[in-house]
């Protein structure tokens, strides 16, 4: 029977605003005209319809399946803390409460991960579904559930699904969310029951957006159509180990024992020997970590010719259309986390900070909550609070009564693209034709006929991505390949090897971390976190700090660094195994008393025998955080919770520190440009929202990148629709009287290059002393002068930036500010993107004028090729105080609710934008003191 209620509570509608944001990836079918206007429409969208889906947060609700009463206590921001007497009741209640707040988001996510978006949104999603079915996330999740996850994890997943389904029981679409009411105009879609596999599948989506260097692998191959090996190497410089410290500094690899000692003398002890560790491969096979990856070490330098470029470009088109999950399709993914030991803090106990940088979404990808057993025992084992994903039981990042942990993306290379020689119904492998494994998939389409596709996989389980576009299999007659390569025939296909396509144990890791009580427990739990590989920082109430790198990380044959597509027809390029867990880097209680992770290199390449990746972040943020900590320590001070918060908000531009002194020496001549140049005199390099200097500098930086690099990249990397006259290279189009052709960019603005991140900081830094490098040369354009050296190009960029900002912000520089350019729009990721204007008005929020910038600690990222708008953000911020957990602080990007007119839709965003943190209650007394609404779930 449906749940029964004895009381109810609602919330007053909040404000909405006019919205406009970046191009959507999740396209929706056109809703009928009646949804936009008309008397009948206006009558339908009454306040009762808008409020119908608001959750009950007071009184009591009877839920069949509970073994005892469960208390749900919400604070003034609607953040729930759940209290139960058994694990099963705890996770059933978690499912029910998350569905109350976020079921539409959960439903969209599971349709994305299973390649069933067309069932909700019609034929516009068929191509995406084809690609996602080819990857087969839900199939792998089902294998995990059936074969690799522990019995206890399955019980928790079942209890969670039971709670979600209890919420769904007896409810119509409009009872669930405003979006379902809108979809009801043209679609008879009805949500299905939630399953445990739906929860596991979301980890695959997270892994996809944190998949490492696949984008760099594609980009390097595409660059070969216009750039030579030396030029590509210039654009992928080595990691600056001497300037930006690696994460692990005191740990070391022991060649004799083949283990890693993280400084605690354990030589890897405490690490679980999980089934995901695989074999070590050939010891010492790849000491080239940090190299540019463009020298052809993998033996395929000659395979990336024009035909392959065309093929990879089409693959990029497919990747661009895949819906954003928790990041910008793998680009710009970053995060900050660091931990400071008690010897350096005011409390005498550790402080731990974390702020993952992900794509801005509405609602936020994160969901805050606490899961508390009234008495921790064998029957009820959890007392944990933090951030999780709607649709998943447990807590992903946070703390329990003993330990705290944070995560940043490690960026290790867990994907490889393989060129496959297709022959008949098979593929060539070591001179023999092997058959593909095939399966047929049927895609159901709302308002249309179903479509069937065939998915082909190699014997290693690699899906053939090129099957998803008929053009992908057409390699041109002039494809440049090595002499040992097979004949071209009908061309080469592209297959994907990715660790997340094998069943794993990441869901087990979540529950194990949630109940870990010390470093040994935590390391054992972390070893289960096989995909995606993350940097994990740790602190506990006994005054210990640590770092560990878990993950299923492949080893490759000697000479193959995984940086460019490999020849699938040669077995020597097959993965040789996985690095064993006790050989992965970690660090425990380092003498310096702190650990910083911000996507920089994990360990110095000369001190570790395995290649983890060739594409680290370049350490700009991590070194700035390190410097801020060191300044405090060397000044004799102790670090407080608020000091950690202020470090998270650091807006310093490291590239400005390098470039501004040079820019101030340039005689620009024009008085209007000189007026803008004067903004930089005395500027402290901080990118505050109200800073005119930050606005002008970032405009100059953007134009430096465009002139020096962007205009010289192939069209596949440049912004879609931006056209140039270039020398012809394997391309067709209108030709002018000088023999040049017109080429237009093909990549979405927030995916294009040069994006302006810290790789480009390092590129420019390496070129600064080469004043006459060819990179600094750029032709005359209209009235703009040509540039033949560095300072002439800088002058040209300063001129261009002055007039660009004049057009955008006005001629009066007194009205300029960084925040007017650098704005955040929060957009509902389905009907708030390409839906009718009225729905976008209803569902979207913004803009917010933000401080921060690219590769700043306050990483409000923007893509310099595409514009100044905010693309990714610190999706949440937290500071955990291990001396007094009730004095910990947290904030979310949006709010607890996914309901557009709930008071908790975006009630944290203003404070988030201002850099504030909320109180984070944990103890029973603190939670009771902060409780606004109490709900009892009764059996």
């Amino acid at each position: 029977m449906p749940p029964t209620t004895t009381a109810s509570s609602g919330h007053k509608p909040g404000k909405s605003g006019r919205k406009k944001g970046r191009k959507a990836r999740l396209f929706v079918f056109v809703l009928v005209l009646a949804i936009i206007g008309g008397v009948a429409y206006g009558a339908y969208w009454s306040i009762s319809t808008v409020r119908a889906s608001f959750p009950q947060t007071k009184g009591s609700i009877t839920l069949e399946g509970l073994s005892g009463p469960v208390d749900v206590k919400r604070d003034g921001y609607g953040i729930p803390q759940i209290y139960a007497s058994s694990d099963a009741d705890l996770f059933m209640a978690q499912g029910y409460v998350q569905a109350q707040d976020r079921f539409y988001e959960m439903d969209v996510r599971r349709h994305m991960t299973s390649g069933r978006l067309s069932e909700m949104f019609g034929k516009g999603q068929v191509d995406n579904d084809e690609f996602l079915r080819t990857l087969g996330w839900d199939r792998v999740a089902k294998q995990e559930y059936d074969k690799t996850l522990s019995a206890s994890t399955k019980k928790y997943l079942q209890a969670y699904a039971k709670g979600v389904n209890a919420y769904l029981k007896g409810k119509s679409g409009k009872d669930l969310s405003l979006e379902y009411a809108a979809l009801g105009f043209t679609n008879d879609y009805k949500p299905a029951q939630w399953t445990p596999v739906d929860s596991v599948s979301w980890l695959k989506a997270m892994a996809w957006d944190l998949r490492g260097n696949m984008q760099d692998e594609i980009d390097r191959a595409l660059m070969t159509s216009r750039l030579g090996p030396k030029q590509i190497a210039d654009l992928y410089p080595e990691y600056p180990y001497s300037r930006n410290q690696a994460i692990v500094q005191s740990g070391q690899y022991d060649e004799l024992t083949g283990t890693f000692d993280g400084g605690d003398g354990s030589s890897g002890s405490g690490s679980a020997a999980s089934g995901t560790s695989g074999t070590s491969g050939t010891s010492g096979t790849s000491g080239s970590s940090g190299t540019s990856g463009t020298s052809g070490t993998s033996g395929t330098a000659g395979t990336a010719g024009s035909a392959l470029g065309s093929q990879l470009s089409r693959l990029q088109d497919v990747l661009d259309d895949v819906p954003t999950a928790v990041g910008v399709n793998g680009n710009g993914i970053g995060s900050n986390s660091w931990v400071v030991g008690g010897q350096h803090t005011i409390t005498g106990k550790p402080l731990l900070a974390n702020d993952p940088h992900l794509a801005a979404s509405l609602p936020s990808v994160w969901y805050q909550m606490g899961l508390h057993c009234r008495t921790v025992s064998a029957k009820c084992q959890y007392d944990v609070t933090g951030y999780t994903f709607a649709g998943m039981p447990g807590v992903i990042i946070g703390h329990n009564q003993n330990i705290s942990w944070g995560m940043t993306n490690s960026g290790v290379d867990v994907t490889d693209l393989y060129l496959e020689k297709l022959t008949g119904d098979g593929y060539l492998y070591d001179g023999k034709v092997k058959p593909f494994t095939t399966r047929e998939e049927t895609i159901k389409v709302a308002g249309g006929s179903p479509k069937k596709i065939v998915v082909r996989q190699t014997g290693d389980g690699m899906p053939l991505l090129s099957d998803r576009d008929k053009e992908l299999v057409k390699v041109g007659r002039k494809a440049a390949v090595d002499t040992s390569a097979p004949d071209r025939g009908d061309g080469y296909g592209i297959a994907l090897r990715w660790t997340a396509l094998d069943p794993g144990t990441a869901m087990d890791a979540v529950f194990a971390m949630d109940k870990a009580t010390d470093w040994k427990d935590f390391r054992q739990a972390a070893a289960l976190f096989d995909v995606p590989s993350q940097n994990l920082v740790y602190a506990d109430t006994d005054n210990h700090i640590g770092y560990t790198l878990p993950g299923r990380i492949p080893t490759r044959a000697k000479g193959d660094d995984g940086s460019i597509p490999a020849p699938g027809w040669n077995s020597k390029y097959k993965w040789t195994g996985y690095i064993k867990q006790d050989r992965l880097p970690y660090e425990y209680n380092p003498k310096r008393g702190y650990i910083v992770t911000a996507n920089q290199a994990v360990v110095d390449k000369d001190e570790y025998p395995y290649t983890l990746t060739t594409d680290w972040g370049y350490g700009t943020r991590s070194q700035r955080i390190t410097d801020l900590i060191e300044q405090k320590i060397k000044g004799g001070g102790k670090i407080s919770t608020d000091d950690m918060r202020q470090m998270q908000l650091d807006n310093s531009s490291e590239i400005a520190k390098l470039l501004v002194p040079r820019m101030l020496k340039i005689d620009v001549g024009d008085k209007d440009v000189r007026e803008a140049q004067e903004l930089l005199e005395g500027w402290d390099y901080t990118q505050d929202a109200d800073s005119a200097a930050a606005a002008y500098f970032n405009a100059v930086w953007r134009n430096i990148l465009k002139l020096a690099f962007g205009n010289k990249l192939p069209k596949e990397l440049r912004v879609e629709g931006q056209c140039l006259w270039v020398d012809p290279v394997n391309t067709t189009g209108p030709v002018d009287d000088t023999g040049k052709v017109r080429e237009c960019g093909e990549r979405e603005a927030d995916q294009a290059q040069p994006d302006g991140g810290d790789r480009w900081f390092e590129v420019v830094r390496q070129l600064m002393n080469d004043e006459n490098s060819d990179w600094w040369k750029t032709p005359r354009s209209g009235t703009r002068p040509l540039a033949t050296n560095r300072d002439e190009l800088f002058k040209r960029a300063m001129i261009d930036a002055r007039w660009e900002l004049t057009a955008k912000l006005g001629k009066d520089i007194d009205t300029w500010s960084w925040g007017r350019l650098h704005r955040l729009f929060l957009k509902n990721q389905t009907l708030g993107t390409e839906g009718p204007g009225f729905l976008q008005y209803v569902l979207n929020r913004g803009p917010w004028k933000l401080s921060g910038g690219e590769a700043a600690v306050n990483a409000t990222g923007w893509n310099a090729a595409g514009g100044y708008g905010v693309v990714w953000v610190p999706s949440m911020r937290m500071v955990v105080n291990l001396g007094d957990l009730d004095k910990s602080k947290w904030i979310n990007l949006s709010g607890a609710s996914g309901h557009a007119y709930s008071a908790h839709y975006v009630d944290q965003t203003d404070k988030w934008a201002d850099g504030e943190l909320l109180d984070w209650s944990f103890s029973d007394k603190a939670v009771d003191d902060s409780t606004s609404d109490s709900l009892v779930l009764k059996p």
Side-chain angles (χ1 to χ4, degrees):
M1 58 181 295
T4 58
T5 63
T6 59
S8 63
S9 173
H11 302 289
K12 294 181 180 180
K15 295 180 179 179
S16 66
R18 209 172 292 274
K19 321 296 177 287
K20 184 173 70 174
R22 64 184 175 85
K23 183 178 178 182
R25 286 175 189 75
L26 187 54
F27 298 105
V28 298
F29 65 93
V30 179
L31 299 180
V32 294
L33 292 178
I35 204 169
I36 301 175
V39 176
Y41 167 74
Y44 180 82
W45 289 96
S46 63
I47 192 66
S48 62
T49 300
V50 171
R51 295 169 60 92
S53 58
F54 286 6
Q56 177 181 334
T57 58
K58 294 180 179 179
S60 65
I61 299 174
T62 299
L63 292 186
E64 184 178 345
L66 288 175
S67 64
V70 177
D71 295 311
V72 181
K73 302 178 181 181
R74 293 179 183 261
D75 67 10
Y77 289 88
I79 300 170
Q81 304 281 344
I82 299 175
Y83 291 82
S85 298
S86 73
D87 290 340
D89 285 354
L90 190 65
F91 294 117
M92 181 178 176
Q94 183 182 16
Y96 186 88
V97 170
Q98 286 192 345
Q100 279 187 308
D101 286 334
R102 300 276 194 96
F103 181 74
Y104 177 76
E105 174 193 8
M106 293 163 58
D107 199 19
V108 171
R109 282 182 178 178
R110 66 168 166 175
H111 279 78
M112 180 186 72
T113 58
S114 60
R116 296 187 296 118
L117 288 166
S118 300
E119 294 179 15
M120 294 184 75
F121 303 109
K123 63 181 181 180
Q125 284 300 300
V126 169
D127 288 347
N128 282 334
D129 284 346
E130 288 185 12
F131 186 75
L132 293 166
R133 294 284 184 97
T134 300
L135 290 175
W137 292 344
D138 62 328
R139 296 180 70 256
V140 180
K142 179 69 163 56
Q143 293 172 16
E144 287 185 1
Y145 183 78
D146 290 341
K147 299 177 181 179
T148 64
L149 296 181
S150 68
S152 61
T153 292
K154 291 180 183 180
K155 289 179 181 178
Y156 300 155
L157 290 164
Q158 291 163 5
Y160 181 90
K162 192 174 181 180
V164 176
N165 293 330
Y167 174 74
L168 294 179
K169 194 171 184 179
K171 289 183 173 64
S172 65
K174 70 181 181 66
D175 295 328
L176 297 174
S177 80
L178 184 66
E179 290 93 334
Y180 287 119
L183 286 175
F185 277 104
T186 57
N187 192 347
D188 60 358
Y189 169 80
K190 297 292 188 296
Q193 293 282 289
W194 193 264
T195 74
V197 174
D198 291 335
S199 295
V200 179
S201 294
W202 179 241
L203 286 173
K204 299 302 174 186
M206 183 174 75
W208 176 252
D209 276 348
L210 303 175
R211 62 191 179 273
N213 74 336
M214 181 174 164
Q215 190 64 61
D216 290 311
E217 191 172 338
I218 292 171
D219 286 356
R220 274 190 288 263
L222 290 172
M223 286 179 183
T224 60
S225 68
R226 286 208 165 269
L227 304 178
K230 172 60 170 64
Q231 292 171 307
I232 296 173
D234 286 345
L235 303 186
Y236 288 88
E238 287 203 20
Y239 184 89
Y241 289 98
S242 61
R243 189 174 67 253
N244 294 342
Q245 296 175 1
I247 296 172
V248 174
Q249 298 173 42
S250 60
Q252 59 184 353
Y253 185 82
D254 189 326
E255 294 285 354
L256 294 177
T257 64
T259 59
F260 197 91
D261 184 348
D264 60 352
S266 65
S267 296
S269 64
S271 170
S274 74
T276 64
S277 57
T279 59
S280 65
T282 304
S283 179
T285 58
S286 49
S288 60
S289 178
T291 60
S292 68
T294 60
S295 61
T297 55
S298 69
T300 59
T303 64
S306 62
L308 174 61
S310 175
Q311 199 168 358
L312 288 172
S313 176
R314 296 180 189 280
L315 173 58
Q316 179 63 41
D317 291 342
V318 175
L319 295 178
D320 279 350
D321 283 340
V322 174
T324 299
V326 295
V328 190
N329 281 339
N331 287 344
I333 299 298
S335 300
N336 302 321
S337 68
W338 67 95
V339 59
V340 180
Q343 67 265 44
H344 298 311
T345 69
I346 287 176
T347 66
K349 292 290 181 74
L351 295 170
L352 186 150
N354 196 189
D355 55 287
H357 308 153
L358 302 171
S361 62
L362 184 61
S364 166
V365 69
W366 297 108
Y367 185 91
Q368 299 155 284
M369 71 187 319
L371 301 171
H372 308 279
C373 290
R374 294 189 178 95
T375 301
V376 176
S377 65
K379 180 182 178 182
C380 198
Q381 304 173 72
Y382 296 89
D383 188 16
V384 63
T385 181
Y387 297 84
T388 188
F389 301 122
M392 261 187 58
V395 167
I396 305 297
I397 295 173
H399 72 82
N400 59 30
Q401 67 272 42
N402 300 115
I403 74 167
S404 178
W405 65 96
M407 296 185 187
T408 64
N409 191 31
S410 70
V412 298
D413 187 358
V414 295
T415 61
D416 276 339
L417 294 174
Y418 284 86
L419 304 181
E420 301 292 347
K421 169 57 183 172
L422 308 182
T423 304
D425 294 328
Y427 61 99
L428 191 66
Y429 189 76
D430 283 349
K432 298 180 180 179
V433 176
K434 289 195 168 187
F436 285 106
T437 300
T438 63
R439 68 177 187 272
E440 187 175 82
E441 299 270 356
T442 300
I443 299 171
K444 298 178 181 178
V445 182
S449 301
K451 181 176 181 180
K452 292 185 178 182
I453 64 169
V454 174
V455 176
R456 296 193 287 178
Q457 289 181 282
T458 68
D460 289 332
M462 296 191 295
L464 200 64
L465 301 186
S466 49
D467 278 352
R468 299 289 63 89
D469 189 314
K470 62 183 180 181
E471 297 296 329
L472 282 174
V473 299
K474 297 180 180 178
V475 176
R477 296 176 181 175
K478 296 182 180 180
V481 293
D482 292 340
T483 55
S484 60
D487 64 276
R488 299 176 182 86
D490 293 331
Y492 301 114
I494 297 179
L496 172 67
R497 184 78 170 98
W498 178 33
T499 55
L501 297 182
D502 297 322
T505 55
M507 199 71 238
D508 284 339
V510 172
F511 296 113
M513 286 191 292
D514 283 357
K515 63 182 180 181
T517 61
D518 57 23
W519 174 242
K520 181 179 179 181
D521 282 354
F522 183 74
R523 284 265 286 161
Q524 289 175 337
L528 299 170
F529 206 89
D530 46 11
V531 176
S533 176
Q534 297 287 284
N535 296 313
L536 299 180
V537 293
Y538 165 94
D540 63 35
T541 55
D542 289 332
N543 219 354
H544 302 294
I545 64 173
Y547 160 84
T548 190
L549 174 71
R552 186 189 297 140
I553 303 172
T555 56
R556 299 170 176 86
K558 188 173 183 179
D560 178 11
D561 62 10
S563 63
I564 54 180
W569 49 81
N570 190 334
S571 62
K572 95 174 206 181
Y573 295 100
K574 181 180 178 180
W575 288 357
T576 58
Y578 301 97
I579 303 174
K580 290 183 177 179
Q581 289 294 315
D582 60 3
R583 300 185 181 189
L584 289 172
Y586 76 99
E587 195 169 34
Y588 186 61
N589 289 335
K591 290 183 180 179
R592 66 186 180 278
Y594 62 86
I595 301 171
V596 175
T597 84
N599 316 114
Q600 79 270 39
V602 169
V603 65
D604 194 300
K605 66 177 181 178
D606 295 328
E607 298 177 4
Y608 192 65
Y610 300 103
T611 295
L612 297 173
T613 185
T614 60
D615 294 296
W616 301 114
Y618 280 77
T620 302
R621 282 179 287 108
S622 62
Q623 194 58 44
R624 176 61 179 170
I625 295 167
T626 297
D627 291 346
L628 291 171
I629 294 171
E630 285 286 339
Q631 287 171 18
K632 190 76 173 181
I633 293 172
K634 290 179 179 178
K638 296 286 187 177
I639 295 173
S640 69
T641 300
D642 197 60
D643 289 331
M644 300 284 274
R645 179 190 69 85
Q646 291 186 46
M647 291 178 193
Q648 289 179 325
L649 303 178
D650 184 79
N651 293 320
S652 174
S653 171
E654 298 304 297
I655 191 62
K657 294 176 184 178
L658 175 68
L659 298 186
V660 167
R662 183 71 248 161
M663 290 163 55
L664 288 175
K665 295 179 181 179
I666 295 173
D667 183 4
V668 294
D670 186 292
K671 66 179 182 61
D672 291 312
V673 180
R674 171 62 184 148
E675 182 184 32
Q677 185 185 36
E678 288 173 347
L679 291 171
L680 304 178
E681 296 177 355
W683 179 42
D684 62 0
Y685 310 120
T686 59
Q687 301 169 97
D688 296 331
D690 61 359
S691 170
Y696 181 59
F697 171 77
N698 281 316
V700 176
W701 170 238
R702 179 178 184 235
N703 280 278
I704 287 173
L705 292 171
K706 177 182 177 182
L707 294 170
F709 311 105
N711 290 349
K712 298 162 188 174
L713 295 176
K715 63 182 183 299
E716 293 87 357
L717 275 69
R718 299 200 313 268
V719 175
E720 183 178 9
Q722 291 186 1
C723 302
L724 299 170
W725 290 95
V726 298
D727 293 326
V729 179
N730 300 316
T731 187
T732 60
V735 180
D736 69 4
D737 54 9
T738 66
K740 294 184 180 294
V741 298
R742 182 173 168 81
E743 276 190 355
C744 298
E746 297 179 351
R747 189 168 288 186
E748 288 192 31
D750 59 14
Q751 302 285 303
Q753 293 292 339
D755 61 19
D758 68 352
R759 172 164 68 89
W760 294 99
F761 288 16
E762 191 65 21
V763 168
V764 170
R765 184 185 295 275
Q766 294 295 326
L767 291 171
M768 281 295 286
N769 293 328
D770 187 359
E771 298 179 30
N772 297 307
S773 167
D774 286 343
W775 290 112
W776 300 130
K777 296 176 172 59
T778 190
R780 182 185 306 277
S781 176
T783 61
R784 303 289 197 267
L786 62 81
T788 61
N789 58 44
R790 180 197 63 203
D791 286 357
E792 288 179 357
L793 185 137
F794 281 17
K795 178 178 179 180
R796 165 80 176 272
M798 293 168 73
I799 296 170
D800 288 354
R802 173 32 157 147
W803 299 115
E804 180 188 359
L805 294 197
T806 297
K808 293 180 182 296
L809 303 179
K811 188 173 182 179
D812 184 357
I813 64 172
D814 290 336
T815 68
W816 290 4
S817 71
W818 177 224
R820 286 181 62 195
L821 289 173
H822 193 54
R823 299 185 299 167
L824 170 67
F825 292 85
L826 291 181
K827 304 191 73 174
N828 179 288
Q829 291 299 291
T830 57
L831 301 180
T833 54
E834 290 284 319
F838 179 83
L839 269 184
Q840 294 189 41
Y841 181 90
V842 167
L843 296 173
N844 298 341
R845 299 292 183 270
W848 284 266
K849 299 176 180 178
L850 297 188
S851 301
E854 188 63 38
V857 179
N858 185 17
T860 54
W862 55 287
N863 186 300
Y868 303 98
V870 177
V871 177
W872 55 84
V873 294
S875 55
M876 62 80 157
R877 298 186 184 101
M878 74 175 196
V879 179
V880 180
N881 183 331
L882 278 301
D884 184 345
L885 292 169
D886 285 330
K887 291 183 179 178
S888 301
K889 303 285 185 178
W890 63 351
I891 196 79
N892 203 355
L893 173 62
S894 59
S897 179
H899 300 288
Y901 280 93
S902 165
H904 305 307
Y905 192 46
V906 289
D907 59 337
Q908 297 184 52
T909 310
D910 285 346
K911 291 182 179 297
W912 171 91
D914 292 338
E916 298 179 39
L917 297 175
L918 305 177
D919 291 337
W920 184 356
S921 300
F922 178 67
S923 69
D924 292 350
K925 182 180 185 305
V927 170
D928 286 342
D929 289 346
S930 64
T931 295
S932 295
D933 291 357
S934 292
L935 174 70
V936 178
L937 303 178
K938 301 190 303 183

